[in-house]
Each structure stands twice: as C-alpha cells, then as structure tokens.
C-alpha cells in the first residue's frame, strides 16, 4: 500500500510562515493600542451625549432616561439595568475592547468603546 502524506515540506514552511506573520501582526497591534486611553461614548438618537474614561468606576443614569443605569468598572462598561422589554442591551454584557457596542433600541441609546475622544468639529470623511 502507498502511504499518503497530507503535508509536504513546502506546505509546512508556508503554514509556519503564516503563523509567524500572524504572531508579529498581533504583537504590533497590541503595542500600538497599549498606550491609548479608552473612552465610553453614550449616544442618544444619533448624537453623542456623554463621553467618559474607562479608568474610572461609576454607575450613573444618562440624562435622557432615569431607568437606564450604565456601569463603568475595571476598564469595561455595560448596561446594568434598563426598562426595555427584551433586555438585549443588558444581556450583551461587558464591553472592554475598542469598537464594541451595546444598543438599547426601544430607548434609542447606545454605548461604544473608543480609543480616543473624537473632536466634535472634525470632518468624518474627506473628498
């Protein structure tokens, strides 16, 4: 019987190179984002109503709705309570990485983790 090899020597070299490249990209990304501060943006009806640093521990209700409590603790944030019927926002859990978002659709409020505070006068796109 003929014994079949699943990987040739060239296949193993390519796999090893891809793994090394992936590890290097991960390390570069980690070093790049390590020095940046992270902030929580609270958005109501498409408008940023508040921006808070993640390095402070606080529980508060946004001005728009007293029945929603947003909690920031240990460099993470979440909807702690909400009066919406489905509780999807509360069940989303903790947000800790830039770009993560939780949305409460019935109350038209969302929270987003950002790496820097955006300038409200900045241009979003350039032509």
């Amino acid at each position: 019987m003929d014994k079949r090899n699943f990987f040739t020597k060239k296949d193993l070299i390519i796999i090893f190179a891809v793994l090394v490249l992936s590890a290097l990209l991960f390390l570069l990304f980690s070093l790049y984002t390590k020095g940046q501060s992270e902030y929580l943006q609270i958005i109501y009806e498409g408008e940023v109503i508040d921006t808070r640093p993640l390095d402070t521990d606080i529980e508060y209700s946004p001005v728009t709705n007293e029945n929603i409590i947003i909690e920031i603790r240990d460099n993470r944030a979440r909807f702690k309570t909400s009066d919406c019927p489905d509780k999807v926002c509360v069940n989303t859990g903790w947000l800790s990485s830039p770009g993560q978002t939780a949305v409460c659709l019935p109350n038209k409020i969302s929270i987003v983790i950002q790496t820097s505070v955006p300038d409200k006068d900045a241009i979003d796109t350039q032509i």
Side-chain angles (χ1 to χ4, degrees):
M1 290 206 99
D2 189 22
K3 185 177 178 183
R4 297 187 107 187
N5 291 332
F6 287 106
F7 296 110
T8 65
K9 189 174 183 177
K10 287 182 183 180
D11 293 335
L12 293 175
I13 290 171
I14 291 172
I15 291 170
F16 180 74
V18 168
L19 289 174
V20 168
L21 182 63
S22 298
L24 286 174
L25 288 174
F26 177 76
L27 287 173
L28 286 174
F29 181 75
S30 297
L31 290 174
Y32 174 73
T33 58
K34 186 176 183 182
Q36 295 180 346
S37 298
E38 294 176 347
Y39 296 87
L40 179 70
Q41 277 187 339
I42 296 94
I43 302 167
Y44 178 69
E45 292 185 349
E47 299 284 329
V48 177
I49 60 168
D50 198 2
T51 302
R52 303 234 176 192
L54 283 182
D55 59 0
T56 56
D57 295 348
I58 189 171
E59 284 186 19
Y60 75 101
S61 296
V63 177
T64 60
N65 191 331
E66 295 296 323
N67 297 319
I68 294 176
I69 296 177
I70 295 172
E71 180 179 15
I72 301 173
R73 184 180 339 134
D74 301 327
N75 290 320
R76 354 177 254 170
R78 69 174 177 159
F79 282 102
K80 185 174 182 180
T81 61
S82 177
D83 61 350
C84 62
D86 54 7
K87 306 282 190 246
V88 171
C89 55
V90 175
N91 293 330
T92 300
W94 291 100
L95 308 178
S96 59
S97 299
Q100 287 185 317
T101 304
V103 179
C104 184
L105 285 177
N107 292 309
K108 301 175 188 171
I109 191 164
S110 61
I111 58 175
V112 182
I113 304 288
Q114 300 286 348
T115 55
S116 63
V117 177
D119 182 8
K120 64 180 178 180
D121 296 327
I123 299 172
D124 289 339
T125 60
Q126 295 181 2
I127 300 175

